[in-house]
Amino acid sequence: MAIVPGEIVELFQRHFRSSGDPVVYRAPGRVNLIGEHTDYNLGYVFPIAIEMACYAAIAPASHGKVRLYSRDLDERYEIQAKEIAGAKPTHSWSDYVIGVAQELTKAGIEIGPADICVASDVPTGSGLSSSAALEIASAVALLGPRSLPKLEIARLGQRAESQFVGVPCGIMDQYASVFGRENAAIQIDCRSLQHEYVPLPDDASIVAVNSMVKHELGSSAYRERVAECQEAVRAIQNFQPGVQSLRDVPLSLFQQIEEHIPDVPRRRARHVISDSQRVLDLAAAARARDLPGMGRLFVASHRSMQDDYEISCDEIDFLVDTAIQIPGVYGARMTGGGFGGCTVNLVAPEARETFERYLCTAYRERYGKGAAFYDCKPAAGAQRVAVDP
Ligand code: GLA
C-alpha cells in the first residue's frame, strides 16, 4: 500500500494519543541489478534504491520508554529507554528497530524516550530489502538532527541485522538504502566501501516481479552459503596463502586451480567471482547504453545463481525463462537473497504492458496464483520528508 507521509502523522497521533507533530523519515528498499551474494565476499554489487520505502514518524516523549507501533502488523512494542543498551532480541519485527537503537548507543548516541510509528510499502520477504528499509528508517529517525557519516549509518544497520537480528548479511541493502540516488544505480565496492553512481539508459524499464514465494529455507541457506564461501577461501589458500576473501581471487587464478577445490565450494566460488565481474561489465554496458548486452549479463547471472550458487527455485526459474521469451525483454534474473522473492527484468517501455499481461497469465496458469509487478525507478536514499500541513 503506497504511503502518504500525512497519513502516518495522523496514525501516529491517533495511536499515541498525542497532539504533538512527529518528524517523518523515509528509507527505501532496493533492487539489486547484479552481483548477488558478492557483498559478504567483499566483491562488487550494483543495486538501485527504489521508491517503495519504510516511513518512520518519531516524537520525543516524557514517559521514559521507547514505544513502537507498526502500522503493517498492527502491533506495538515498548521498552524503557535506559534498557536499550542491554536489550536482548525478542525475535519479532521490533528487533530491527531495537537492534539499531542499541548500535546507536554503542556509537555514543544517546537514545531518549520517544514514540515511533513505522509503516512500509516494501513487500516483506520479496528480496527488496524490507528489513534494511526498516533499519535505516529507524536509524535516521532515532538520530534526528544529530549527524553521523552516511557510511556509519549503513554499517550500524548491517551490524544490527547480523548481531541483533542474527542474519550474517553483507552491507549491500543498508548501503543502498542510505546512498540511493534518483536516476542512477550504485556500483559499490564492498571491500573499500566506496561507490560510484552509474546512470542507467532511460529507454528501458526496470520491473521487479514478485513470485509471492517465500521459502523459509532462506536464512539457514544464507548461513550455509557464507560458510561454503569461507571453505572455498581456505581451499584456495593452499595455493595462494595471501587470499583473504573471494574478492582477492581473479577469474584467471580461479580457473587455474578450480579442479583442486571440492565440488560445492568450487561452484559457490565460481558464482561469486564471476558475478562480481559481471557488476563491472554491467556498469560498462549501462554506460554504453548497450541494452542487449545488459540483458545477456542478467541472464548469465541468473544461470550462475541457478546452477552454481543453487539459490533459485522453480517459480523464479519459470518467471525468468518465460520473461526472456517475450519480445522487448532484454533480460531477467532473480534479485536478492534467493529461494523466492522477486525477479528483476529489463524491458523496453513499449513492451511493458504486454510483458505484464503475458507473464501474469502464464504464471497463473502454471502455479495457480498471481505475481505482483513493480516499476522500479532509481530513488533517493534515506531522508527526512516534508509533511503537508
Ligand atoms: C540479502 C543480504 C545482502 C546480500 C543479498 C544477496 O539481501 O542482506 O547482504 O548478501 O542477500 O546478494
Side-chain angles (χ1 to χ4, degrees):
M1 206 191 312
I3 292 168
V4 181
E7 282 169 26
I8 185 173
V9 169
E10 227 174 86
L11 192 67
F12 177 96
Q13 287 165 338
R14 212 167 352 119
H15 196 79
F16 293 115
R17 293 200 178 76
S18 156
S19 52
D21 281 340
V23 178
V24 181
Y25 295 85
R26 159 195 175 278
R30 61 101 189 94
V31 170
N32 188 24
L33 299 185
I34 210 155
E36 219 66 78
H37 288 261
T38 48
D39 58 354
Y40 53 82
N41 289 296
L42 309 187
Y44 292 100
V45 291
F46 201 61
I48 58 171
I50 54 180
E51 285 167 346
M52 290 186 284
C54 178
Y55 290 78
I58 185 165
S62 53
H63 43 53
K65 301 170 192 161
V66 169
R67 300 193 302 183
L68 311 176
Y69 174 69
S70 156
R71 175 202 71 165
D72 308 325
L73 299 168
D74 189 22
E75 277 178 22
R76 46 193 307 160
Y77 175 84
E78 57 178 56
I79 181 171
Q80 292 293 332
K82 56 181 186 325
E83 286 171 7
I84 283 178
K88 296 273 176 281
T90 58
H91 310 290
S92 79
W93 62 277
S94 57
D95 284 353
Y96 295 97
V97 187
I98 303 304
V100 163
Q102 193 170 77
E103 284 299 328
L104 284 166
T105 315
K106 286 189 204 160
I109 310 274
E110 197 192 326
I111 304 298
D115 290 331
I116 307 172
C117 173
V118 293
S120 178
D121 58 8
V122 187
T124 52
S126 61
L128 301 181
S129 284
S130 57
S131 322
L134 175 55
E135 286 152 9
I136 300 302
S138 307
V140 290
L142 288 164
L143 270 169
R146 297 172 289 187
S147 73
L148 261 191
K150 280 183 162 191
L151 181 57
E152 201 33 51
I153 299 179
R155 293 177 80 156
L156 68 84
Q158 180 205 13
R159 286 200 298 274
E161 181 143 355
S162 58
Q163 290 168 25
F164 200 79
V165 178
V167 180
C169 65
I171 187 82
M172 166 168 69
D173 306 348
Q174 294 81 5
Y175 200 113
S177 188
V178 169
F179 285 96
R181 174 168 295 182
E182 282 169 24
N183 305 320
I186 321 165
Q187 181 187 311
I188 308 167
D189 177 338
C190 299
R191 182 163 63 184
S192 69
L193 297 178
Q194 306 271 314
H195 64 272
E196 238 177 90
Y197 291 111
V198 179
L200 296 172
D202 48 17
D203 48 351
S205 309
I206 297 168
V207 188
V209 179
N210 193 343
S211 65
M212 301 297 182
V213 175
K214 187 185 171 196
H215 281 292
E216 284 315 323
L217 189 62
S219 69
S220 58
Y222 193 93
R223 272 172 233 288
E224 221 171 80
R225 296 299 179 279
V226 173
E228 289 160 352
C229 289
Q230 287 160 352
E231 204 181 323
V233 168
R234 284 193 297 274
I236 296 169
Q237 281 169 340
N238 293 330
F239 301 88
Q240 289 280 328
V243 163
Q244 298 293 318
S245 70
L246 291 178
R247 169 61 183 276
D248 300 331
V249 186
L251 198 52
S252 54
L253 168 65
F254 174 75
Q255 283 161 347
Q256 280 165 33
I257 58 175
E258 63 175 319
E259 63 188 274
H260 304 289
I261 308 172
D263 180 52
V264 171
R266 175 176 63 230
R267 287 186 292 120
R268 305 302 188 243
R270 184 161 56 212
H271 164 73
V272 169
I273 296 168
S274 64
D275 224 35
S276 191
Q277 177 59 43
R278 277 187 286 270
V279 169
L280 305 179
D281 297 345
L282 189 73
R287 288 196 167 98
R289 308 174 65 85
D290 173 9
L291 289 165
M294 290 175 73
R296 282 192 294 275
L297 288 161
F298 268 41
V299 177
S301 173
H302 187 73
R303 299 298 172 225
S304 174
M305 291 190 284
Q306 203 178 354
D307 303 333
D308 280 343
Y309 222 63
E310 296 180 288
I311 48 170
S312 190
C313 63
D314 277 1
E315 291 88 340
I316 289 283
D317 291 341
F318 178 84
L319 285 174
V320 167
D321 292 334
T322 311
I324 58 179
Q325 302 300 320
I326 303 171
V329 175
Y330 295 108
R333 60 181 290 281
M334 189 188 70
T335 185
F339 305 100
C342 285
T343 62
V344 55
N345 302 263
L346 196 62
V347 184
E350 60 278 13
R352 168 67 183 83
E353 256 188 71
T354 333
F355 164 72
E356 177 164 345
R357 202 169 343 108
Y358 186 86
L359 192 56
C360 205
T361 310
Y363 193 65
R364 192 176 289 285
E365 271 171 15
R366 176 67 174 265
Y367 293 103
K369 62 177 169 193
F373 290 69
Y374 316 113
D375 288 297
C376 296
K377 275 213 316 236
Q383 64 204 146
R384 182 176 167 175
V385 290
V387 180
D388 294 334

